[in-house]
């Protein structure tokens, strides 16, 4: 049975009292900020009165956003640690409501700012030197000039933001709190209740019958609720398409990528490169079929480790190994890692009602917290270093940049995390002493690449297709979504949809389809990280210094420029092809080990 929250040791829970000492303190801060939001009206119509007015209103707006982020993070994480608790559901709802109110109150800012002339901006910068700090911030705003609406229209959109987010919130509650999965047998013939965490563990079972039963039980549950999930996802897609249309974008994808100043060609290059390299994935799956001795490979056979080596780690062992691997990034980086590991930044174990998966969170004024659902396996070691990569990125950015640039583009987010994964792989391969363990590490890398580059690009294709379908007037029924997903899965894995009927429902359980064109960045990020890790491990001190500069950059420059300075041009396809070259090289070595060890 999955433990209740109060059965988890305190040392294994994140310490959110470093954000607000008590719930009462949070409530008081919420009430105070609510009152401050009501005073914003005094600034309406006065943004461009003078250089001093522009500075004062800009700084006041950012300060209110900064306070709200801190409130939101506390409510969000309290809710995530047990989504069944009504109190923190209410906190989260109140924080989201205040976000909507603040967005609405500040909706005057962009329309008023867009009226500034080049001459006026030059004069303001000369009259008030403190505005120089915000010059890049202003430049970013002006790039959106064609997509900013009138003040009244901006107010209406901001006021509806809570409604626009309801599909995502409904999915989260249904998937994490309300959905009840059946009991199945584990490897020891014990009855265990399926959950997101136990499902992942059972998919790695060496017993095919255990995998099959868990797989069929999980997707039978999603099949039962497929129409509800379809309606929820369709609503989310319609929201993104509507927002893009009213802001004069050609598509939801264009709008989403423009938010990070990323051209759509980056997305198309990714899909094109992955499609060209699908034979590598098919080759790996054919090898998997031989090693497992399963001629009729199914989707529930894709996740079980091929190695017989019990290369597992307790959580404490994983912390030590992560520190050893990440030491290559220097003493300052390592000291930050040790703080995260020792000062309760991490919520470690699964409990009833806890949000599934893993993430790194926090705000400018908090620790860079991490949520895990720990299992004692190699994958979870990689998850730990992945989320640590996010948290170190956040830590460096927040401590280096002023608040206005104290976050980083979503486009850059997955690069730091997957660079850590690649560094860990290099470390493990460097220290391994025997063929069997090397086989296990290569297996993990190949599976990780499959899950990050191939799988996330499959998700990206699906996400773009459903947005296009809705834009073209198609109704996103469960039947439509099932067929689309089954066809894509067959193309990517080379396993027929007729032999794998349950996989057609997988779209229903993927929370990232509610993240508005997020998933492609896992793939681009992993590929860029492959190049960066090569430089960090095998390059010069200058390469490592440039990487740390990337972690510090935040939003002080455009994302593609930040990456160019770090040594990777993401507008070209070269970095993708280089990543596939690494995959192929390690697949070659893996195949040689399979033959040497007589495993197929």
């Amino acid at each position: 049975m999955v433990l209740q929250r109060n059965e988890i040791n305190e040392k294994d829970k994140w310490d959110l009292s470093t954000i607000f000492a008590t719930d009462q303190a949070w409530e008081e801060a919420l009430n105070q900020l609510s009152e401050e939001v009501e005073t914003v009206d005094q600034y309406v119509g006065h943004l461009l009165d003078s250089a001093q007015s522009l500075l004062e209103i800009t700084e006041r707006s950012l300060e209110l956003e900064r306070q709200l982020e801190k409130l939101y993070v506390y409510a969000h994480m309290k809710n995530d640690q047990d989504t069944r608790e009504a109190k923190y559901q209410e906190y989260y709802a109140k924080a989201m409501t205040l976000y909507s109110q603040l967005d609405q109150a500040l909706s005057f800012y962009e329309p008023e700012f867009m009226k500034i002339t080049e001459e006026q901006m030059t004069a303001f910068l000369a009259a008030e030197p403190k505005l120089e700090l915000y010059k890049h911030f202003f430049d970013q705003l002006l790039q959106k000039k064609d997509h900013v609406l009138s003040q009244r229209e901006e107010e209406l959109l901001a006021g509806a933001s809570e409604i626009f987010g309801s599909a995502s919130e409904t999915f989260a509650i249904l998937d994490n709190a309300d959905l009840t999965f059946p009991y199945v047998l584990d490897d020891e013939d014990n009855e265990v209740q399926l959950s997101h965490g136990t499902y992942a563990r059972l998919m790695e079972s060496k017993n095919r019958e255990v995998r099959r039963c868990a797989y069929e039980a999980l997707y039978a549950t999603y099949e039962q609720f497929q129409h509800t999930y379809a309606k929820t996802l369709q609503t989310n897609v319609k929201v993104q398409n509507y927002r893009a249309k009213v802001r004069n974008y050609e598509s939801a994808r264009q709008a989403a990528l423009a938010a990070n100043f990323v051209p759509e060609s980056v997305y198309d290059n990714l899909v094109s490169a992955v499609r060209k390299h699908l034979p590598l994935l098919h080759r790996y799956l054919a090898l998997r079929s031989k090693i497992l001795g399963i001629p009729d490979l199914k989707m529930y056979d894709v996740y079980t480790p091929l190695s017989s080596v019990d290369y597992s780690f307790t959580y404490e062992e994983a912390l030590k190994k992560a520190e050893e691997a990440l030491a290559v990034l220097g003493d300052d980086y390592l000291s930050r890692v040790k703080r995260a590991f020792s000062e309760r930044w991490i919520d470690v174990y699964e409990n009833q009602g806890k949000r599934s998966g893993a993430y790194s969170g926090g705000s400018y004024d908090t620790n860079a917290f991490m949520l895990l659902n720990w299992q004692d396996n190699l994958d979870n070691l990689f998850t730990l270093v992945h989320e640590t990569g996010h948290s170190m990125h956040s830590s460096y950015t927040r401590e280096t940049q002023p608040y206005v640039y104290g976050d980083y583009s979503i486009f850059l987010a997955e690069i730091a995390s997957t660079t850590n994964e690649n560094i860990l792989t290099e470390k493990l391969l460097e220290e391994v002493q025997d063929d069997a363990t090397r086989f296990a590490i290569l297996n993990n890398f190949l599976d990780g690449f499959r899950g990050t580059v191939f799988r996330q690009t499959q998700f990206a294709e699906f996400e773009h297709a459903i947005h296009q379908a809705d834009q073209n007037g198609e109704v996103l029924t469960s039947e439509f979504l099932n067929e689309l997903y089954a066809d894509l899965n067959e193309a990517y894995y080379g396993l027929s949809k007729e032999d794998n009927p349950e996989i057609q429902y997988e779209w229903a359980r993927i929370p990232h389809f509610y993240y508005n064109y997020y998933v492609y960045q896992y793939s681009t990020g992993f590929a860029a990280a492959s190049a960066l890790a090569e430089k960090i491990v095998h390059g010069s001190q200058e390469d490592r210094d440039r990487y740390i500069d990337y972690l510090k950059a935040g939003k002080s420059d455009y994302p593609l420029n930040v990456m160019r300075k770090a040594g990777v041009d993401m507008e070209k396809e070269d970095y993708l092809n280089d990543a596939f070259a690494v995959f192929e090289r390690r697949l070659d070595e893996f195949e040689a080990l399979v033959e040497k060890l007589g495993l197929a």
Side-chain angles (χ1 to χ4, degrees):
M1 294 292 293
V2 178
L3 296 176
Q4 297 295 328
R5 181 74 184 172
N6 60 11
E7 296 174 312
I8 304 289
N9 289 329
E10 284 298 308
K11 68 180 181 65
D12 296 320
K13 300 177 185 177
W14 51 25
D15 182 10
L16 301 185
S17 68
T18 58
I19 309 177
F20 289 99
T22 63
D23 288 349
Q24 182 180 351
W26 182 89
E27 292 173 5
E28 290 170 356
L30 180 79
N31 293 333
Q32 180 181 340
L33 184 57
S34 297
E35 293 175 4
E36 292 182 33
V37 169
E38 292 177 3
T39 69
V40 171
D41 283 350
Q42 65 182 302
Y43 301 121
V44 176
H46 299 290
L47 183 67
L48 301 182
D49 284 359
S50 66
Q52 183 58 40
S53 178
L54 178 58
L55 177 65
E56 178 186 346
I57 295 173
T58 298
E59 291 187 336
R60 181 60 175 155
S61 300
L62 291 168
E63 176 57 31
L64 292 173
E65 290 175 1
R66 181 173 174 175
Q67 291 180 43
L68 182 51
E69 283 180 8
K70 186 177 177 183
L71 281 162
Y72 169 82
V73 162
Y74 184 84
H76 168 56
M77 292 183 172
K78 280 286 192 180
N79 183 55
D80 282 353
Q81 68 190 27
D82 190 342
T83 58
R84 302 168 303 171
E85 285 202 40
K87 178 180 182 179
Y88 298 121
Q89 290 177 14
E90 182 182 354
Y91 277 21
Y92 181 70
K94 285 181 176 179
M96 291 302 294
T97 298
L98 190 53
Y99 252 120
S100 178
Q101 292 169 350
L102 181 59
D103 283 347
Q104 195 168 353
L106 295 176
S107 60
F108 74 92
Y109 187 100
E110 290 191 7
E112 286 190 28
F113 181 78
M114 294 307 170
K115 296 175 184 177
I116 198 168
T117 64
E118 188 174 338
E119 294 75 18
Q120 192 176 19
M121 176 63 80
T122 301
F124 278 5
L125 288 170
E128 178 49 80
K130 290 181 180 178
L131 283 173
E132 188 67 31
L133 171 66
Y134 300 100
K135 191 173 184 303
H136 179 62
F137 172 69
F138 295 146
D139 287 344
Q140 289 177 306
L141 289 179
L142 289 171
Q143 288 210 30
K144 300 193 297 182
K145 190 168 185 174
D146 293 340
H147 307 288
V148 175
L149 309 177
S150 70
Q151 183 176 334
R152 178 57 180 157
E153 289 167 333
E154 290 290 348
E155 286 177 357
L156 290 171
L157 278 179
S161 62
E162 193 174 2
I163 300 169
F164 288 158
S166 61
S168 176
E169 291 179 34
T170 300
F171 167 83
I173 290 292
L174 174 60
D175 209 55
N176 292 306
D178 285 347
L179 208 62
T180 301
F181 295 106
Y183 285 81
V184 295
L185 296 179
D186 66 10
D187 287 322
E188 286 76 41
D189 284 334
N190 297 317
E191 274 202 339
V192 294
Q193 186 174 15
L194 273 181
S195 67
H196 295 293
T198 57
Y199 175 74
R201 177 170 56 82
L202 292 171
M203 282 298 96
E204 295 180 352
S205 170
K206 300 289 187 183
N207 186 327
R208 196 184 194 201
E209 185 65 12
V210 168
R211 300 196 301 269
R212 183 188 66 80
C213 289
Y215 176 84
E216 291 179 355
L218 183 94
Y219 285 113
T221 306
Y222 281 100
E223 180 182 9
Q224 182 182 353
F225 294 98
Q226 61 179 299
H227 304 297
T228 300
Y229 278 105
K231 190 64 178 177
T232 306
L233 184 55
Q234 180 188 43
T235 300
N236 185 71
V237 169
K238 285 187 175 296
V239 164
Q240 305 306 340
N241 278 339
Y242 176 75
R243 280 175 159 167
K245 182 179 179 181
V246 299
R247 290 200 177 279
N248 303 311
Y249 288 101
E250 293 178 8
S251 67
R253 187 179 77 168
Q254 185 189 60
L257 271 62
N260 291 310
F261 307 97
V262 174
E264 289 184 273
S265 60
V266 171
Y267 200 108
D268 291 330
N269 286 344
L270 170 68
V271 173
S272 173
V274 171
R275 282 279 183 167
K276 281 188 291 188
H277 290 93
L278 282 178
L280 286 175
L281 177 59
H282 298 165
R283 179 177 144 197
Y284 173 54
L285 291 175
L287 186 61
R288 170 176 280 274
S289 179
K290 290 180 182 178
I291 295 169
L292 291 173
I294 300 173
D296 61 330
L297 195 76
K298 300 290 178 66
M299 284 304 298
Y300 53 78
D301 300 317
V302 167
Y303 297 96
T304 185
L306 299 174
S307 171
S308 58
V309 174
D310 185 18
Y311 202 42
S312 61
F313 296 83
T314 66
Y315 178 63
E316 295 300 326
E317 290 169 342
L319 295 178
K320 182 179 178 182
K321 182 59 66 178
E323 290 178 9
E324 291 174 1
L326 299 176
V328 69
L329 286 163
D331 292 341
D332 184 66
Y333 189 98
L334 185 59
S335 69
R336 293 167 186 266
V337 170
K338 289 181 176 179
R339 277 190 59 208
F341 290 176
S342 64
E343 295 180 10
R344 291 180 58 196
W345 292 19
I346 307 176
D347 203 78
V348 182
Y349 296 106
E350 183 181 16
N351 57 255
Q352 288 283 352
K354 184 177 177 180
R355 183 193 188 277
S356 63
Y359 67 72
S360 168
S363 74
Y364 189 79
D365 295 305
T366 75
N367 292 327
F369 293 99
M370 293 174 251
L371 178 140
L372 304 176
N373 281 276
W374 181 264
Q375 304 284 335
D376 288 347
N377 57 39
L378 188 59
D379 277 346
N380 275 252
L381 170 61
F382 275 89
T383 298
L384 173 65
V385 297
H386 178 103
E387 301 306 338
T388 300
H390 283 308
S391 289
M392 294 305 101
H393 193 183
S394 298
S395 175
Y396 271 108
T397 296
R398 292 165 187 168
E399 291 185 24
T400 305
Q401 298 296 335
Y403 175 75
V404 66
Y405 307 126
D407 194 6
Y408 40 81
S409 161
I410 293 296
F411 182 72
L412 297 181
E414 296 304 331
I415 296 173
S417 55
T418 45
T419 296
N420 274 16
E421 290 192 52
N422 279 276
I423 290 171
L424 176 61
T425 297
E426 291 275 0
K427 176 67 175 176
L428 295 176
L429 288 173
E430 173 193 316
E431 66 185 16
V432 66
Q433 297 295 317
D434 63 281
D435 287 340
T437 305
R438 190 171 191 84
F439 176 90
I441 297 165
L442 287 169
N443 176 203
N444 184 270
F445 169 79
L446 295 170
D447 280 342
F449 194 104
R450 174 197 55 75
T452 305
V453 178
F454 289 110
R455 178 173 165 84
Q456 298 299 330
T457 305
Q458 176 190 343
F459 286 174
E461 281 209 60
F462 177 79
E463 182 174 19
H464 189 44
I466 60 179
H467 280 82
Q468 287 183 308
D470 176 73
Q471 193 173 10
N472 295 332
E474 292 267 11
V475 180
L476 304 186
T477 62
S478 59
E479 182 179 2
F480 175 89
L481 296 170
N482 293 343
E483 183 176 355
L484 172 63
Y485 196 87
D487 287 343
L488 273 173
N489 196 82
E490 182 175 81
Y492 269 73
Y493 286 87
L495 302 177
S496 77
K497 59 186 180 182
E498 289 80 14
D499 290 339
N500 296 274
E502 294 86 0
I503 202 63
Q504 67 183 309
Y505 307 115
E506 187 175 42
W507 60 266
R509 61 183 287 257
I510 308 300
H512 293 78
F513 291 148
Y514 295 83
Y515 290 10
N516 190 21
Y517 283 92
Y518 188 103
V519 291
Y520 84 98
Q521 295 160 122
Y522 284 114
S523 303
T524 56
F526 191 98
S530 179
L532 289 172
E534 186 76 13
K535 293 173 184 291
I536 290 166
V537 176
H538 302 293
S540 65
Q541 184 58 46
E542 183 182 357
D543 290 321
R544 289 184 279 276
D545 290 342
R546 290 169 73 183
Y547 179 75
I548 297 298
D549 287 343
Y550 144 71
L551 296 180
K552 293 177 177 179
K555 289 185 175 178
S556 63
D557 199 354
Y558 294 106
L560 293 177
N561 289 342
V562 171
M563 289 309 301
R564 286 189 192 97
K565 291 175 185 176
V568 179
D569 188 343
M570 298 185 71
E571 286 193 87
K572 297 179 179 178
E573 207 174 290
D574 295 352
Y575 79 102
L576 295 163
N577 293 329
D578 289 345
F580 284 111
V582 173
F583 181 86
E584 185 169 15
R585 186 173 74 243
R586 289 184 173 159
L587 179 57
D588 289 344
E589 182 180 357
F590 191 67
E591 287 174 331
L593 276 175
V594 168
E595 184 174 347
K596 180 179 179 182
L597 297 170
L599 297 175

